[in-house]
Amino acid sequence: MMVSRTSILRGTSDIAAAAVLLLGISVLIGWMLDVEPLKRVMPGYVTMNPLTSVCFIASGVALWLTDGSPMQRRAALIIAVLLLIVSAWQLVADLASAAFQPDEILFATAINQSVPMSRMAPSTAAGFVLAAASFMFIHSEIGTTRSAGQYFALALGCIALFSTVAYTYGAGTHAALRPFNLMALHTSWGLFVLAIGLLFKDTRTGLISLIMSQGLAGQLLRLMIPAVIIVPTILGWLTIRAQEQGFFGSSLAVTMLATFSIILLFILTVATARMIQEADAERQRRMKVVRASEERLAGILAIAADAIISADADQKITLFNGWAESLFGYSRAEVLGQPLDILLPERFRKHHAAYVQEFGEGDVKARPMGEAGQIFARRKDGSTFPAEASISKLAIDDQLIYTVVMRDMTEKRRADMALIKAKNDAEAAMRSQSEFLANMSHEIRTPLNSIAGFTQLLLTNDALQGQLRAQVAKIKNSAAALTTVVNDILDYSKLEEGMLTLSMAPLSPKELVYNCVSIVSPAANARDIEIDVELSPNLDERRYLGDANRMQQVLLNLLSNAVKFTERGRVTVKAREEDSDDGCALIRFEVIDTGIGIKPENMGRLFRRFSQVDSSASRHYGGTGLGLAICKRIITLMGGQIGAESEPGKGSTFWFHLPMERMASTADDGAEHRGSDDAGNVQRSILLVEDIDLNREIAVAMLERAGHAVDVACDGAQAVSKVTDRHYDLILMDIQMPTMDGITATRLIRSLDSENCAVPIIAMTANVLPDEVDRFHEAGMNGHIRKPVELDDLIAQVNRWTSETRAAV
Ligand code: ADP
């Protein structure tokens, strides 16, 4: 908006320059070609002297060049100096009635013949002196000097106005003016336009900037100036005309002029007063708004729970709120006008001043401080504290104001540290808890292993008969029950800690079901309970993405319960694929028994930890009441659901379903390919790696009883060296051992540069939590046998893996 206004003003000045130039040229042509209207406008009027027309040409060019390049401006200045010399000389010579005057130089003959006079009027010469003076000042860089240039232009305008009005009123040729040589009509026009051109050259200072200003002064001037110039001129003209017509005498005419002037001035004064009044009311209203906003700001500053500090461009403090006072210990009076960096520790001051400077010069209006690191502030007593701060800037009248909002972070940092410590402590506690769990698992199972192992060996001895045999069988059952209890407690602790993670791989639900059935079959057979398997055809050979170990854990738990709580009849395991869309399926498993069932009032307590729904039954059947709670947690973790229906005396149905991703291939990807359990009584060479004497003794006895040749190693290192030297059909590897553990030993055996590296390795360990089993597989082990070792299980595994070796050979 301002730019376009400035260009309009510049344009006015350029038009004035062109008009003046054109006037000078046309009058000069008039003299050359003797064209009367060009020389004098009207017959009988005074002609424009040729020197005057040359002065107009010079003024036009100078006006044009005034705001050009430095060179052009210099040229304009030279022209102005020449103009001053010529016009001043003419003025002095004329007033002194000198014998020679510059206006005689051009067209001397024509001038002398011209009637009326053709000399340059003293008022014209004075006008050009003023114009030349105006030129010299108007393009100065100093505002007051430029203003002086404007005053010269205004004086020039007054001379031109007087002459123009005189012509308008018919006084242009008045005899009273004659001694001064009359100014030509178009000279008065030309000087008027030149005055306007000069005035409009400078829009930054003086009268024009005032006229163009936005405020009240500008409005008033824009209203008054045209009125003040035009109205008296018209009134005067009307009065003269009326007088000429003989309407009234001169005293009445002057009376009329005075009266109209009074009325006009009165109207203008009232209009001015009204404008001032309105402007005043507006100013008052704005002041009120400003005061209200100042009060609001003061209120905010007073109650803000942050230190708010402002500083000027020199980083001197200009505002310090109440919170800042209490935070830093300085009173407002103490810090106002002080450098901002008194609030910083010494070591940060230099950097801080540069930071604020750089922020002041950048484009960003606000930003948090301390991006490069923690910031600290300094109290009056010299102590420092960690702080969080942000800085913003505001430019008011080209003056930057910085505002910093700062917060003491001491408490927050203390709380953060406490939180981090608490977290570290909790993690350490969790680590030691899980270490404790792993150790306890090992420590309990190792003696359990020998109890179970030796009782099994005893039971294979035919010499043991009668009551003695029955007692040993009870020891065996008790050991088995104790094993389940230990397993449940350990599993549940892991689930409680949220340490259970799923390890997904392609699995076959069919294999899963048959594995579980084969595990519980001995117990079911012993009680004459049949186990049926019903798989839907759509499930038969399919593979899905899932965690086989944990699914087996759940299904096994349901199957063991079904067998445990069924006196006679049968247990049925069903699996089918339910709703399925592209790629994803819902697999449902059911375990149905014809056992004792559960009373309706007890159904709600199933799946809760340590809840055995019928205490008398539980005394009879044993258990911890944790199995179903573990199942529920695992199934929930997998995104599935688990539930039960039951009728007392008739039986129960336990079910779970899981969303599972269907795998494209039906090949045996990822599935353990197992050999036949039935390898006959072929003698195998087996390396048993076990550090505990008792465990070694049991396993050796079990294996030798089955007719195998057993070599022993007491730790992983011994095992590696033995495998380097000779071939074994199978290695049974303990995990936790001194010197070298089973996992490291397996890795080393697998990396051996000999055929022996391919020997099947079976983990034989008390560490049986599912994620540990995954680790065994990762190390290169083929399977695992859970301690306490079951004789049948051990022999079956040996046969399975050695027959596979045979098949591979
Ligand atoms: P537990 O180790 O005691 O078997 P579970 O959590 O596996 O713990 O089972 C909790 C209780 O639910 C059992 O004690 C039993 O009372 C009841 N229960 C579980 N399965 C069956 C079933 N198939 N038939 C009857 N009752 C069952």
Side-chain angles (χ1 to χ4, degrees):
M1 183 65 191
M2 280 310 286
V3 173
S4 70
R5 179 176 296 178
T6 309
S7 59
I8 288 170
L9 298 178
R10 287 269 152 76
T12 308
S13 179
D14 289 346
I15 291 168
V20 168
L21 188 67
L22 215 66
L23 177 68
I25 291 171
S26 59
V27 173
L28 206 57
I29 291 170
W31 281 104
M32 284 177 195
L33 306 178
D34 199 19
V35 183
E36 281 297 306
L38 290 180
K39 289 195 282 182
R40 67 178 82 237
V41 186
M42 295 237 241
Y45 273 36
V46 177
T47 56
M48 186 194 289
N49 182 276
L51 186 64
T52 306
S53 64
V54 171
C55 286
F56 272 126
I57 293 170
S59 303
V61 172
L63 199 56
W64 197 279
L65 295 176
T66 297
D67 45 19
S69 64
M71 259 252 297
Q72 290 171 329
R73 288 164 65 174
R74 222 167 297 133
L77 204 62
I78 292 167
I79 294 171
V81 171
L82 291 173
L83 188 65
L84 181 67
I85 293 169
V86 171
S87 52
W89 181 11
Q90 172 63 37
L91 182 62
V92 173
D94 194 353
L95 294 177
S97 304
F100 172 75
Q101 296 180 14
D103 64 348
E104 296 169 326
I105 300 172
L106 298 167
F107 302 97
T109 331
I111 290 170
N112 288 330
Q113 287 166 3
S114 175
V115 176
M117 305 242 309
S118 307
R119 306 302 296 268
M120 186 193 276
S123 54
T124 307
F128 281 118
V129 168
L130 292 169
S134 179
F135 272 122
M136 287 171 192
F137 290 109
I138 208 118
H139 60 307
S140 161
E141 279 307 312
I142 306 159
T144 45
T145 318
R146 278 204 310 274
S147 296
Q150 287 200 353
Y151 292 127
F152 285 119
L154 274 173
L156 168 64
C158 289
I159 292 174
L161 186 69
F162 175 78
S163 188
T164 311
V165 174
Y167 273 107
T168 313
Y169 290 179
T173 51
H174 202 284
L177 295 170
R178 228 169 255 290
F180 300 103
N181 276 358
L182 281 177
M183 184 188 284
L185 175 58
H186 45 348
T187 301
S188 68
W189 292 346
L191 289 179
F192 194 75
V193 171
L194 182 58
I196 289 176
L198 282 164
L199 279 174
F200 276 69
K201 257 308 161 210
D202 176 25
T203 55
R204 285 174 291 167
T205 42
L207 183 65
I208 298 301
S209 76
L210 204 57
I211 292 174
M212 302 315 290
S213 66
Q214 297 280 10
L216 180 65
Q219 279 179 33
L220 274 174
L221 282 176
R222 287 195 290 276
L223 176 78
M224 304 271 278
I225 288 178
V228 162
I229 293 174
I230 296 165
V231 177
T233 310
I234 294 172
L235 280 179
W237 185 80
L238 286 174
T239 313
I240 289 167
R241 288 285 91 88
Q243 218 181 353
E244 278 171 7
Q245 298 300 316
F247 289 146
F248 36 73
S250 66
S251 58
L252 182 59
V254 174
T255 309
M256 295 265 305
L257 182 62
T259 311
F260 280 122
S261 298
I262 290 167
I263 293 169
L264 168 77
L265 284 175
F266 183 78
I267 292 169
L268 281 177
T269 311
V270 171
T272 309
R274 167 107 350 120
M275 277 177 76
I276 291 173
Q277 189 193 33
E278 278 170 13
D280 206 34
E282 174 65 15
R283 199 173 56 87
Q284 299 257 0
R285 198 185 59 76
R286 286 197 185 162
M287 286 286 287
K288 238 190 213 162
V289 173
V290 169
R291 245 194 317 269
S293 113
E294 268 175 359
E295 274 166 19
R296 216 169 24 239
L297 182 65
I300 292 170
L301 288 175
I303 59 159
D306 283 324
I308 301 174
I309 304 152
S310 287
D312 60 17
D314 299 328
Q315 302 193 25
K316 294 268 171 30
I317 298 170
T318 54
L319 184 147
F320 204 69
N321 75 339
W323 196 270
E325 283 183 315
S326 54
L327 187 59
F328 285 94
Y330 284 110
S331 74
R332 193 163 304 156
E334 279 175 303
V335 290
L336 290 184
Q338 295 295 319
L340 191 58
D341 62 13
I342 61 162
L343 306 176
L344 294 171
E346 199 93 43
R347 63 185 193 281
F348 289 125
R349 289 184 184 173
K350 213 170 127 204
H351 171 74
H352 179 261
Y355 171 86
V356 176
Q357 177 91 22
E358 179 249 325
F359 171 68
E361 287 161 6
D363 293 334
V364 187
K365 292 268 181 289
R367 74 171 172 218
M369 295 173 87
E371 287 153 317
Q374 175 75 50
I375 60 166
F376 288 87
R378 181 180 181 277
R379 296 189 188 89
K380 185 182 177 183
D381 62 11
S383 60
T384 59
F385 59 91
E388 192 179 76
S390 57
I391 185 168
S392 64
K393 67 179 174 193
L394 192 70
I396 296 178
D397 293 338
D398 288 341
Q399 281 293 309
L400 269 187
I401 295 174
Y402 299 105
T403 299
V404 177
V405 179
M406 190 177 275
R407 182 171 293 178
D408 182 357
M409 298 303 283
T410 314
E411 277 312 313
K412 165 118 188 349
R413 285 197 82 200
R414 206 170 286 154
D416 285 352
M417 297 302 282
L419 214 66
I420 291 169
K421 188 177 175 308
K423 184 171 164 273
N424 289 343
D425 289 352
E427 278 172 3
M430 222 154 106
R431 261 197 308 278
S432 63
Q433 197 176 338
S434 60
E435 270 164 29
F436 169 76
L437 277 175
N439 285 340
M440 196 178 81
S441 160
H442 189 257
E443 296 310 314
I444 294 177
R445 269 183 246 234
T446 305
L448 259 181
N449 190 26
S450 50
I451 297 170
F454 283 119
T455 46
Q456 284 178 69
L457 279 175
L458 275 177
L459 287 171
T460 59
N461 192 333
D462 294 338
L464 193 69
Q465 287 301 333
Q467 199 183 3
L468 224 49
R469 187 176 189 85
Q471 283 168 353
V472 172
K474 277 179 188 154
I475 297 176
K476 182 182 171 256
N477 290 339
S478 302
L482 191 55
T483 306
T484 315
V485 171
V486 170
N487 286 344
D488 280 0
I489 291 173
L490 287 174
D491 272 5
Y492 194 79
S493 310
K494 282 243 158 187
L495 279 161
E496 282 279 84
E497 285 174 40
M499 286 167 67
L500 209 89
T501 49
L502 297 175
S503 108
M504 310 298 269
L507 63 88
S508 153
K510 181 181 173 183
E511 272 181 32
L512 197 82
V513 168
Y514 279 107
N515 265 349
C516 294
V517 168
S518 75
I519 293 170
V520 295
S521 283
N525 292 343
R527 314 238 317 269
D528 273 344
I529 295 166
E530 265 181 54
I531 302 183
D532 296 333
V533 175
E534 289 178 20
L535 299 175
S536 70
N538 64 0
L539 196 75
D540 210 19
E541 297 301 333
R542 280 205 182 131
R543 293 194 168 281
Y544 301 84
L545 197 63
D547 186 327
N549 282 328
R550 283 182 237 285
M551 280 176 70
Q552 174 159 327
Q553 193 178 348
V554 174
L555 192 60
L556 205 53
N557 196 80
L558 300 185
L559 259 172
S560 315
N561 277 351
V563 171
K564 188 160 80 173
F565 294 107
T566 302
E567 295 295 343
R568 72 187 79 81
R570 57 179 60 249
V571 170
T572 312
V573 188
K574 290 184 182 177
R576 66 171 182 272
E577 185 182 299
E578 284 193 333
D579 311 335
S580 69
D581 55 35
D582 300 340
C584 214
L586 198 68
I587 311 295
R588 184 182 171 94
F589 294 87
E590 281 174 15
V591 177
I592 304 158
D593 64 55
T594 55
I596 60 168
I598 303 157
K599 289 187 195 138
E601 63 268 28
N602 289 336
M603 290 296 285
R605 279 162 49 205
L606 289 173
F607 305 108
R608 285 203 211 141
R609 60 185 181 161
F610 308 117
S611 75
Q612 289 172 315
V613 297
D614 184 339
S615 50
S616 60
S618 65
R619 265 198 302 279
H620 182 240
Y621 296 105
T624 55
L626 276 176
L628 289 178
I630 292 170
C631 291
K632 177 154 180 140
R633 294 248 173 160
I634 292 175
I635 295 297
T636 311
L637 188 71
M638 291 174 165
Q641 282 186 326
I642 187 165
E645 288 102 40
S646 184
E647 213 178 307
K650 291 215 165 142
S652 316
T653 298
F654 281 79
W655 57 264
F656 64 92
H657 55 67
L658 291 173
M660 294 178 90
E661 196 183 324
R662 203 190 286 142
M663 306 305 291
S665 148
T666 56
D668 56 352
D669 44 341
E672 272 181 3
H673 181 75
R674 291 183 175 151
S676 154
D677 287 5
D678 182 18
N681 286 332
V682 182
Q683 191 193 50
R684 300 288 172 203
S685 72
I686 295 170
L687 176 64
L688 174 73
V689 192
E690 169 65 69
D691 62 318
I692 295 171
D693 297 347
L694 267 174
N695 288 352
R696 244 188 350 253
E697 205 182 314
I698 300 162
V700 169
M702 285 179 171
L703 292 165
E704 283 180 348
R705 182 153 303 190
H708 299 300
V710 187
D711 194 0
V712 292
C714 297
D715 60 47
Q718 274 186 21
V720 176
S721 94
K722 279 180 184 266
V723 175
T724 317
D725 296 341
R726 64 165 279 213
H727 168 82
Y728 293 100
D729 294 323
L730 181 72
I731 300 176
L732 294 169
M733 179 80 81
D734 185 23
I735 298 297
Q736 282 182 13
M737 289 180 289
T739 319
M740 184 189 287
D741 64 30
I743 291 188
T744 315
T746 304
R747 288 211 177 96
L748 288 176
I749 291 169
R750 291 291 181 233
S751 64
L752 285 178
D753 186 17
S754 95
E755 271 187 9
N756 295 350
C757 75
V759 57
I761 304 176
I762 303 298
M764 200 166 68
T765 176
N767 297 329
V768 287
L769 299 180
D771 33 354
E772 286 164 336
V773 174
D774 293 341
R775 276 203 308 137
F776 305 158
H777 281 285
E778 273 166 33
M781 293 180 165
N782 302 79
H784 75 278
I785 299 173
R786 185 188 265 228
K787 281 181 184 172
V789 175
E790 293 274 341
L791 179 61
D792 295 343
D793 188 22
L794 176 66
I795 302 309
Q797 290 273 6
V798 170
N799 289 343
R800 194 173 291 172
W801 288 103
T802 51
S803 73
E804 185 182 79
T805 323
R806 194 175 48 192
V809 170

